[in-house]
Structure formats: C-alpha cells, structure tokens
C-alpha cells in the first residue's frame, strides 16, 4: 500500500504595512545548538519583516554555539547594525532564566513584540509573520503556536511515549490551574510588550521548562487575551534533548506553587 505523507503548508504571504514594519525581537536560548543556529538565523532574516531582531542567549555551550552566534551576528550587523545580539551567560542556569534575560534585552532595545522559540528548529520561524498578524488583528496579549488546536500537529518521529507524556502534562497543569489553553506547555509564543512589562520579569520563579506554564498563568491572571494558532512541531534537526530530572520535578511542582503560593519579588 502506498504511504501518503502529510505536508504542512505555511502561508508566506507578506503582511501589509504598517504591520510588517513592527519592531519584533526573537529570543532564542541556546545550549549546544551549533548544528542549528546558522540555519535558524538565516530563516529568521529571510522573513519579510524588515525590523526583526534576533537575540541569542547562550549558556556557555561546550560545542561552540556562542562563538558561532558571535560570527553570525558580526555578519548580520555589518549591513543591519543592531539586528542581532548574543548574550553570553557563564553557566547553564535553566531555560527560564535564559528567556528572562533575553526578554529584558528585547524590551530595552525597544521591541513592540517579543517572540520566544527553541533553538533546535522544532519551531519554524516561518510562522512568525502569522503570529504577528494574529496578535495585532486580535489585539491579543499573547499568541501561542499550538500543537493541539485543530490543524496543529507533531512530528511523526515523536514516539507514543513522548506524545502521551506531553498530553498528560497539559491535562495535569490544567487540572490545577484551569487555563484556557490547549498547548499549555508549548514554548513558541509571541508577546505584546505591555504584557511583559506588566508581568514584571524580575518576579518569575521558574528556572526550567515550567517557565512556560508560569508565564501562561500570569498572562491569563491579568485578564489578557490569549490566542492559539496551529503549527506543525518538528523533531530537532541536530543535538539532543536537555530535559533533566530536576527540570521534570520543577515542572510537576510549579502548578501547585502558582495556585497556592505567592509570587517571588524581584
């Protein structure tokens, strides 16, 4: 029997002005992503968004990702000064802390919208214009690139165990926090500047992937509109996953802390 392969088409129609001219900063934490960072950078700057910036936050990657990102930034900034920034952290402190550092940098540089995405090419940069159009048209506080709304999908390379674990995580979090979000653990998002300023990034507790849940909870608690758009989630192209046991434990405990605890003050 012939195997039919699904295709995942992305609408690449350019946004109209002045929407396409919005100041968008893309924050990408990296740790050992030397095999992905060059292609990710190229695809971000291939987007028809003339004011887009890239902020790479590298946690002292042993494979030289930080140095490679510096070289890429030097090339980009020769023709477009300030379009790419690399933040170097001295140790691996967790993806949550990396996102906070990158978001602060984006706000300091005047970004109106901030994208957070993985550095392993599991999130396609080509979705960013659609996210921008959605957040502006819907006047939303945040847009999530969702695997679990109609039209969303996962890589066929994801095994049954990973699919069940991901689904269980969403059910677990929403049983406690009751968020109006299907992909509550997803990490591909676009934020409106005013929302990040109101959240106060200095008060974020989470170090690991529970950062996604905490930020969702705070956004919803503020009464901000949250919109999910379907995406296809790819398996990483190179490197390996970095979810440790400590990160998994934090992810299990964070929903309880958010519901019954108090926020940490900066």
């Amino acid at each position: 029997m012939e195997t039919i392969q699904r295709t995942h088409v992305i609408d690449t129609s350019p946004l109209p002005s002045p929407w396409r001219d919005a100041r968008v900063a893309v924050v990408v934490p990296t740790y050992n992503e030397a095999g992905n960072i060059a292609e990710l950078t190229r695809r971000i700057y291939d987007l028809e968004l003339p004011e887009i910036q890239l902020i790479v936050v590298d946690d002292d990657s042993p494979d030289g990702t930080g140095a490679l990102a510096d070289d890429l930034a030097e090339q980009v900034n020769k023709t477009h000064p300030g379009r790419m920034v690399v933040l170097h952290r001295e140790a691996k402190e967790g993806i949550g802390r990396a996102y906070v550092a990158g978001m602060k940098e984006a706000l300091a540089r005047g970004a109106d919208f901030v994208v957070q995405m993985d550095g392993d090419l599991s999130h396609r940069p080509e979705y960013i214009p659609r996210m921008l159009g959605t957040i502006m048209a819907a006047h939303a506080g945040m847009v999530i690139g969702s695997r679990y709304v109609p039209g969303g999908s996962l890589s066929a390379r994801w095994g049954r165990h990973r699919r069940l674990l991901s689904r269980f995580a969403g059910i677990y979090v929403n049983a406690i926090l009751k968020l109006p979000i299907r992909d509550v653990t997803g990490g591909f998002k676009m934020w409106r500047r005013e929302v990040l300023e109101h959240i106060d990034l200095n008060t974020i507790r989470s170090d690991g992937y529970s950062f996604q849940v905490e930020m969702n909870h705070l956004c919803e608690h503020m009464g901000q509109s949250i919109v999910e758009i379907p995406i296809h989630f790819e398996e990483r192209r190179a490197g390996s996953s970095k979810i440790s046991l400590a990160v998994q434990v934090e992810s299990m405990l964070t929903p309880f802390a958010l519901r019954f605890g108090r926020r940490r003050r900066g």
Side-chain angles (χ1 to χ4, degrees):
M1 180 181 295
E2 182 181 1
T3 301
I4 300 176
Q5 183 175 0
R6 288 185 62 183
T7 59
H8 305 277
V9 179
I10 301 174
D11 183 3
T12 57
S13 302
L15 291 172
S17 292
W19 289 17
R20 66 189 298 270
D21 301 316
R23 292 176 295 182
V24 177
V26 182
V27 176
V28 179
T30 57
Y31 185 77
N32 286 349
E33 299 293 357
N36 298 310
I37 189 63
E39 181 179 348
L40 178 64
T41 299
R42 175 187 61 77
R43 288 168 63 179
I44 286 174
Y45 289 116
D46 279 348
L47 301 175
E48 295 192 48
L49 298 174
E51 297 299 321
I52 199 166
Q53 292 183 324
L54 173 58
I55 299 174
V56 175
V57 186
D58 186 68
D59 278 5
D60 195 26
S61 297
D63 71 347
T65 301
L68 179 56
D70 282 335
D71 292 341
L72 292 167
E74 182 178 1
Q75 298 173 29
V76 169
N77 293 331
K78 281 181 181 178
T79 53
H80 299 88
R83 290 279 301 281
M84 183 171 175
V85 180
V86 184
L87 304 181
H88 294 275
R89 303 200 304 164
E90 295 182 357
K92 193 172 185 292
E93 300 175 357
I95 195 170
R97 303 263 67 81
Y99 271 129
V100 167
M103 287 174 167
K104 286 182 177 179
E105 184 72 17
L107 296 179
R109 290 176 172 271
D112 295 318
F113 302 95
V114 180
V115 176
Q116 57 171 96
M117 64 186 300
D118 292 346
D120 58 8
L121 298 175
S122 58
H123 298 145
R124 295 180 178 180
E126 291 78 16
Y127 287 112
I128 292 175
R130 185 180 175 195
M131 297 172 84
L132 178 60
T134 300
I135 201 170
M136 297 181 80
H139 302 285
M142 175 180 63
V143 170
I144 300 175
S146 177
R147 300 164 289 182
Y148 300 130
V149 294
S153 57
L154 286 165
S155 169
R157 293 170 59 192
W158 265 45
R160 179 179 175 82
H161 174 73
R162 290 180 68 187
R163 290 171 183 268
L164 290 174
L165 185 62
S166 177
R167 286 289 195 178
F168 170 77
I171 294 170
Y172 172 80
V173 169
N174 278 331
I176 300 169
L177 297 178
K178 304 187 186 304
L179 298 174
I181 300 170
R182 293 196 180 189
D183 196 349
V184 73
T185 61
F188 193 11
K189 303 173 184 174
M190 177 177 284
W191 295 87
R192 191 176 290 273
R193 176 189 184 90
E194 294 80 7
V195 176
L196 293 179
E197 290 177 331
H198 194 183
I199 283 175
D200 185 1
L201 295 169
N202 291 318
T203 66
I204 299 301
R205 301 175 179 180
S206 304
D207 297 327
Y209 286 88
S210 58
F211 171 82
Q212 314 297 357
V213 174
E214 181 172 0
M215 292 292 282
N216 290 341
H217 171 73
L218 296 175
C219 185
E220 195 273 336
H221 190 68
M222 289 167 54
Q224 290 289 330
S225 173
I226 301 172
V227 179
E228 293 181 85
I229 65 169
I231 64 164
H232 176 67
F233 185 88
E234 299 277 8
E235 181 61 279
R236 64 164 43 250
R237 299 286 185 86
S240 59
S241 179
K242 308 168 183 71
I243 302 179
S244 66
L245 177 60
V247 168
Q248 294 179 54
V249 171
E250 182 193 51
S251 298
M252 293 289 288
L253 297 177
T254 293
F256 287 99
L258 291 173
R259 181 167 180 179
F260 301 112
R262 295 180 179 179
R263 293 190 65 190
R264 182 174 67 191
R265 291 296 171 187

